[in-house]
Amino acid sequence: MSLNIEGKKEVVAEVSARLAKAQAVVLAEYRGLPVEDITALRSQARAAGVYLRVLKNTLARRAVQGTPFEKLADQMVGPLAYGISDDPVAAAKVLHAYAKGNEKLVIKAGMMPNHLMSAKEVGSLATMPGREELLAMLMGTMQAPIAKFVQTLNEVPAKFARTVAAVRDQKEKAAA
């Protein structure tokens, strides 16, 4: 189904708007992938908050012009699905996980603002923990010194109580 010029302008505007707030874009070639598999991939992407779109490369090149993802235009060759996400890791995770289970989906390239990535780098990015996991690790690291300090402060009265209990037990033994 071909689009008229107005439809093409709308698609370019929509993708440009997504790219304006995006933190990562991943390109994957889907040659030979059945429609059912692409539909399953789209539902997985939607669940992860990734905007997944199959576009004509000429429209995609126009959409990336003037954005931090402009260097990606050289990689736009062949039938590509574009994964765009606000989370720097989400698009890479979804497409990488799907590509592991389906050899017909091949990750071609990716990009974070002003940083072009190869397929191997996208795979490395996909294995990184997500934002929530990283925040949880950071909070655990920040909380550890405070918890240790509280434990140390609590140990002083606890040691005193154990000493008093030991003296009491010793006097009871001596009295018996």
Side-chain angles (χ1 to χ4, degrees), residues 38-82:
I38 291 176
T39 304
L41 175 60
R42 284 182 191 205
S43 66
Q44 288 176 14
R46 197 175 307 116
V50 176
Y51 176 75
L52 186 72
R53 182 86 190 246
V54 174
L55 292 170
K56 288 189 173 208
N57 293 330
T58 54
L59 296 179
R61 283 187 196 103
R62 286 187 183 148
V64 297
Q65 283 179 349
T67 68
F69 302 101
E70 201 163 8
K71 294 178 187 173
L72 205 55
D74 298 336
Q75 305 293 323
M76 296 177 183
V77 178
L80 296 175
Y82 297 85

Side-chain angles (χ1 to χ4, degrees), residues 88-104:
V89 181
K93 277 189 183 234
V94 169
L95 290 169
H96 182 74
Y98 197 83
K100 272 185 175 178
N102 195 327
E103 69 277 351
K104 290 184 179 178

Side-chain angles (χ1 to χ4, degrees), residues 39-156:
T39 304
L41 175 60
R42 284 182 191 205
S43 66
Q44 288 176 14
R46 197 175 307 116
V50 176
Y51 176 75
L52 186 72
R53 182 86 190 246
V54 174
L55 292 170
K56 288 189 173 208
N57 293 330
T58 54
L59 296 179
R61 283 187 196 103
R62 286 187 183 148
V64 297
Q65 283 179 349
T67 68
F69 302 101
E70 201 163 8
K71 294 178 187 173
L72 205 55
D74 298 336
Q75 305 293 323
M76 296 177 183
V77 178
L80 296 175
Y82 297 85
I84 303 170
S85 68
D86 298 341
D87 180 2
V89 181
K93 277 189 183 234
V94 169
L95 290 169
H96 182 74
Y98 197 83
K100 272 185 175 178
N102 195 327
E103 69 277 351
K104 290 184 179 178
L105 184 76
V106 179
I107 295 177
K108 289 295 184 183
M111 190 164 187
M112 294 177 87
N114 300 315
H115 178 70
L116 188 62
M117 297 182 291
S118 67
K120 185 177 179 182
E121 290 173 321
V122 171
S124 297
L125 180 64
T127 59
M128 285 181 59
R131 183 175 192 274
E132 289 77 24
E133 294 172 66
L134 289 172
L135 286 173
M137 288 181 197
L138 177 64
M139 290 307 297
T141 304
M142 290 172 64
Q143 194 177 22
I146 296 168
K148 191 69 172 167
F149 179 68
V150 169
Q151 182 183 4
T152 303
L153 285 179
N154 191 34
E155 192 58 34
V156 173

Side-chain angles (χ1 to χ4, degrees), residues 3-26:
L3 297 171
N4 60 15
I5 191 108
E6 293 302 317
K8 290 178 182 179
K9 286 180 181 178
E10 288 177 17
V11 168
V12 169
E14 177 187 349
V15 174
S16 293
R18 293 280 183 164
L19 288 170
K21 57 184 176 177
Q23 292 296 315
V25 177
V26 178

